[in-house]
Protein backbone atom coordinates (compact mmCIF):
# COMPACT_ATOMS: atom_id res chain seq x y z
CA UNK A 1 0.00 0.00 0.00
CA UNK A 2 1.40 3.40 -0.98
CA UNK A 3 0.40 6.75 0.46
CA UNK A 4 0.97 10.28 -0.70
CA UNK A 5 3.79 11.91 1.25
CA UNK A 6 2.66 14.84 3.37
CA UNK A 7 4.26 18.27 3.26
CA UNK A 8 5.68 17.65 6.73
CA UNK A 9 7.21 14.42 5.50
CA UNK A 10 8.88 16.35 2.66
CA UNK A 11 10.31 18.94 5.04
CA UNK A 12 11.64 16.18 7.29
CA UNK A 13 13.44 14.52 4.41
CA UNK A 14 14.68 17.79 2.88
CA UNK A 15 16.24 18.91 6.16
CA UNK A 16 19.94 18.10 6.13
CA UNK A 17 22.82 19.27 8.29
CA UNK A 18 24.51 22.08 6.35
CA UNK A 19 28.02 23.25 7.26
CA UNK A 20 28.74 25.66 4.39
CA UNK A 21 26.82 28.95 4.44
CA UNK A 22 26.61 32.13 2.41
CA UNK A 23 28.55 34.36 4.80
CA UNK A 24 27.01 37.59 3.50
CA UNK A 25 23.40 36.48 3.84
CA UNK A 26 21.62 37.85 6.89
CA UNK A 27 18.28 36.58 8.13
CA UNK A 28 16.09 39.46 9.36
CA UNK A 29 15.72 39.41 13.14
CA UNK A 30 11.94 39.52 12.73
CA UNK A 31 12.09 36.14 10.98
CA UNK A 32 14.27 34.66 13.71
CA UNK A 33 11.77 35.91 16.28
CA UNK A 34 8.88 34.38 14.33
CA UNK A 35 10.80 31.10 14.10
CA UNK A 36 11.35 30.90 17.85
CA UNK A 37 7.76 31.84 18.67
CA UNK A 38 6.47 29.03 16.46
CA UNK A 39 9.03 26.57 17.85
CA UNK A 40 7.78 27.13 21.39
CA UNK A 41 4.71 25.03 20.55
CA UNK A 42 6.99 22.08 21.44
CA UNK A 43 5.91 19.94 24.41
CA UNK A 44 7.76 20.09 27.72
CA UNK A 45 7.67 18.49 31.15
CA UNK A 46 4.59 19.82 32.99
CA UNK A 47 4.46 22.53 30.30
CA UNK A 48 7.18 24.42 32.20
CA UNK A 49 9.02 25.32 28.97
CA UNK A 50 12.60 25.26 30.32
CA UNK A 51 14.17 26.42 27.06
CA UNK A 52 15.93 29.76 26.79
CA UNK A 53 17.69 31.17 23.74
CA UNK A 54 20.74 33.27 23.06
CA UNK A 55 20.66 34.34 19.40
CA UNK A 56 24.10 35.42 18.22
CA UNK A 57 24.22 37.58 15.10
CA UNK A 58 27.14 39.92 15.76
CA UNK A 59 30.12 39.04 13.55
CA UNK A 60 32.74 39.69 16.20
CA UNK A 61 30.90 37.59 18.75
CA UNK A 62 30.49 34.73 16.25
CA UNK A 63 34.23 34.84 15.66
CA UNK A 64 34.79 34.45 19.41
CA UNK A 65 32.25 31.66 19.59
CA UNK A 66 34.01 29.76 16.80
CA UNK A 67 36.97 29.26 19.11
CA UNK A 68 34.68 27.96 21.86
CA UNK A 69 32.98 25.63 19.35
CA UNK A 70 36.07 23.70 18.24
CA UNK A 71 36.75 26.04 15.32
CA UNK A 72 33.69 24.91 13.36
CA UNK A 73 33.45 27.12 10.29
CA UNK A 74 29.66 27.36 10.25
CA UNK A 75 29.67 29.16 13.60
CA UNK A 76 31.19 32.16 11.86
CA UNK A 77 29.62 31.96 8.39
CA UNK A 78 26.00 31.15 9.26
CA UNK A 79 23.61 34.07 9.51
CA UNK A 80 23.01 33.39 13.19
CA UNK A 81 23.71 30.90 15.92
CA UNK A 82 20.80 29.96 18.14
CA UNK A 83 22.16 28.74 21.46
CA UNK A 84 19.51 26.60 23.15
CA UNK A 85 19.84 26.74 26.92
CA UNK A 86 18.03 24.77 29.59
CA UNK A 87 16.72 26.49 32.72
CA UNK A 88 16.95 24.18 35.74
CA UNK A 89 14.74 26.62 37.67
CA UNK A 90 11.92 26.25 35.17
CA UNK A 91 9.48 25.63 38.03
CA UNK A 92 9.70 29.29 39.05
CA UNK A 93 7.41 30.09 36.11
CA UNK A 94 4.74 27.59 37.11
CA UNK A 95 2.23 30.15 38.41
CA UNK A 96 2.56 32.26 35.26
CA UNK A 97 2.14 29.21 33.01
CA UNK A 98 -0.92 27.75 34.70
CA UNK A 99 -2.60 31.06 35.44
CA UNK A 100 -2.42 31.84 31.73
CA UNK A 101 -3.81 28.40 30.90
CA UNK A 102 -6.73 29.13 33.24
CA UNK A 103 -7.32 32.61 31.80
CA UNK A 104 -7.36 31.19 28.27
CA UNK A 105 -9.97 28.64 29.29
CA UNK A 106 -7.70 25.61 28.88
CA UNK A 107 -8.39 24.37 32.43
CA UNK A 108 -10.59 25.14 35.38
CA UNK A 109 -9.33 26.92 38.49
CA UNK A 110 -9.17 23.75 40.58
CA UNK A 111 -6.91 22.08 38.02
CA UNK A 112 -4.76 25.20 37.81
CA UNK A 113 -4.27 25.27 41.57
CA UNK A 114 -3.54 21.54 41.69
CA UNK A 115 -0.91 21.76 38.94
CA UNK A 116 0.81 24.70 40.61
CA UNK A 117 0.82 22.98 43.99
CA UNK A 118 2.07 19.66 42.64
CA UNK A 119 4.82 21.26 40.57
CA UNK A 120 6.09 23.34 43.48
CA UNK A 121 6.17 20.23 45.67
CA UNK A 122 8.05 18.20 43.07
CA UNK A 123 10.52 20.23 41.02
CA UNK A 124 12.35 22.32 43.66
CA UNK A 125 13.16 19.12 45.56
CA UNK A 126 14.59 17.20 42.62
CA UNK A 127 18.37 16.67 42.42
CA UNK A 128 20.21 19.08 40.15
CA UNK A 129 21.17 16.26 37.78
CA UNK A 130 17.54 15.29 37.21
CA UNK A 131 16.57 18.91 36.58
CA UNK A 132 19.39 19.14 34.02
CA UNK A 133 18.16 15.95 32.36
CA UNK A 134 14.62 17.32 32.11
CA UNK A 135 15.83 20.62 30.67
CA UNK A 136 18.11 18.82 28.21
CA UNK A 137 15.36 16.50 27.00
CA UNK A 138 12.92 19.37 26.49
CA UNK A 139 15.59 21.44 24.75
CA UNK A 140 16.03 18.57 22.31
CA UNK A 141 12.33 18.64 21.48
CA UNK A 142 12.32 22.34 20.68
CA UNK A 143 15.63 22.14 18.80
CA UNK A 144 14.12 19.70 16.32
CA UNK A 145 11.16 22.01 15.81
CA UNK A 146 13.52 24.94 15.21
CA UNK A 147 15.33 23.02 12.48
CA UNK A 148 12.17 21.82 10.74
CA UNK A 149 10.57 25.26 10.87
CA UNK A 150 13.77 26.82 9.55
CA UNK A 151 13.69 24.46 6.56
CA UNK A 152 10.06 25.35 5.97
CA UNK A 153 11.11 29.04 5.91
CA UNK A 154 13.79 28.33 3.30
CA UNK A 155 16.80 28.20 5.62
CA UNK A 156 19.26 25.48 6.51
CA UNK A 157 20.64 24.46 9.87
CA UNK A 158 23.07 22.22 11.67
CA UNK A 159 22.95 21.30 15.38
CA UNK A 160 26.26 21.34 17.27
CA UNK A 161 26.80 19.66 20.60
CA UNK A 162 30.57 19.83 20.25
CA UNK A 163 31.51 23.01 22.06
CA UNK A 164 33.08 23.95 25.36
CA UNK A 165 30.01 24.45 27.51
CA UNK A 166 31.99 25.76 30.48
CA UNK A 167 33.74 28.37 28.33
CA UNK A 168 30.41 29.27 26.70
CA UNK A 169 28.75 29.83 30.08
CA UNK A 170 31.66 31.98 31.21
CA UNK A 171 31.83 34.07 28.01
CA UNK A 172 28.12 34.84 28.03
CA UNK A 173 27.88 35.20 31.81
CA UNK A 174 25.17 32.58 32.25
CA UNK A 175 23.67 32.21 35.70
CA UNK A 176 24.08 28.80 37.35
CA UNK A 177 20.54 27.74 36.46
CA UNK A 178 21.15 28.12 32.70
CA UNK A 179 22.75 25.10 31.04
CA UNK A 180 24.15 25.39 27.48
CA UNK A 181 22.80 22.43 25.52
CA UNK A 182 23.11 22.86 21.76
CA UNK A 183 24.16 25.46 19.19
CA UNK A 184 22.11 25.65 16.00
CA UNK A 185 23.66 27.38 13.00
CA UNK A 186 21.05 28.85 10.65
CA UNK A 187 21.45 30.52 7.27
CA UNK A 188 21.47 30.03 3.51
CA UNK A 189 23.38 27.00 2.30
CA UNK A 190 26.38 27.75 0.09
CA UNK A 191 26.91 24.08 -0.74
CA UNK A 192 24.34 21.30 -0.71
CA UNK A 193 24.50 19.01 2.28
CA UNK A 194 25.62 15.42 1.97
CA UNK A 195 22.96 12.75 2.01
CA UNK A 196 23.02 10.31 4.91
CA UNK A 197 21.84 6.75 5.37
CA UNK A 198 19.73 5.38 8.19
CA UNK A 199 19.76 2.06 9.98
CA UNK A 200 17.05 -0.43 9.03
CA UNK A 201 13.93 -0.42 11.18
CA UNK A 202 14.47 -4.10 12.01
CA UNK A 203 17.70 -3.09 13.73
CA UNK A 204 15.99 -0.41 15.77
CA UNK A 205 12.52 -1.50 16.74
CA UNK A 206 10.78 -4.58 18.17
CA UNK A 207 7.00 -4.85 17.97
CA UNK A 208 5.48 -7.05 20.67
Amino acid sequence: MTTTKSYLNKVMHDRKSVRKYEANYKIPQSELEELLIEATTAPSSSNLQPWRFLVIQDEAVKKELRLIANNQEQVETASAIIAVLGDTEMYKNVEEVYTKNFELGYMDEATKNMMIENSLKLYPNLPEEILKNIATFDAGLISMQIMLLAKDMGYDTVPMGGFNKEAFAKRFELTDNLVPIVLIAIGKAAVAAYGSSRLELNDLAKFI
Side-chain angles (χ1 to χ4, degrees), residues 12-14 22 29 113 160 163 177-178:
M12 287 169 56
H13 284 270
D14 287 349
E22 295 181 11
Q29 183 168 319
N113 292 337
M160 296 169 283
F163 65 102
N177 59 298
L178 293 179

Side-chain angles (χ1 to χ4, degrees), residues 5 15-17 23 29 38 44 56 73 82 95 99 131 158 174 177 182 200 206:
K5 298 292 186 181
R15 186 219 61 80
K16 306 291 182 187
S17 291
Q29 183 168 319
E38 292 300 312
S44 62
I56 302 164
E73 174 189 323
I82 301 172
E95 292 199 33
T99 297
L131 289 169
V158 61
L174 301 185
N177 59 298
V182 65
E200 295 296 326
K206 180 182 289 187

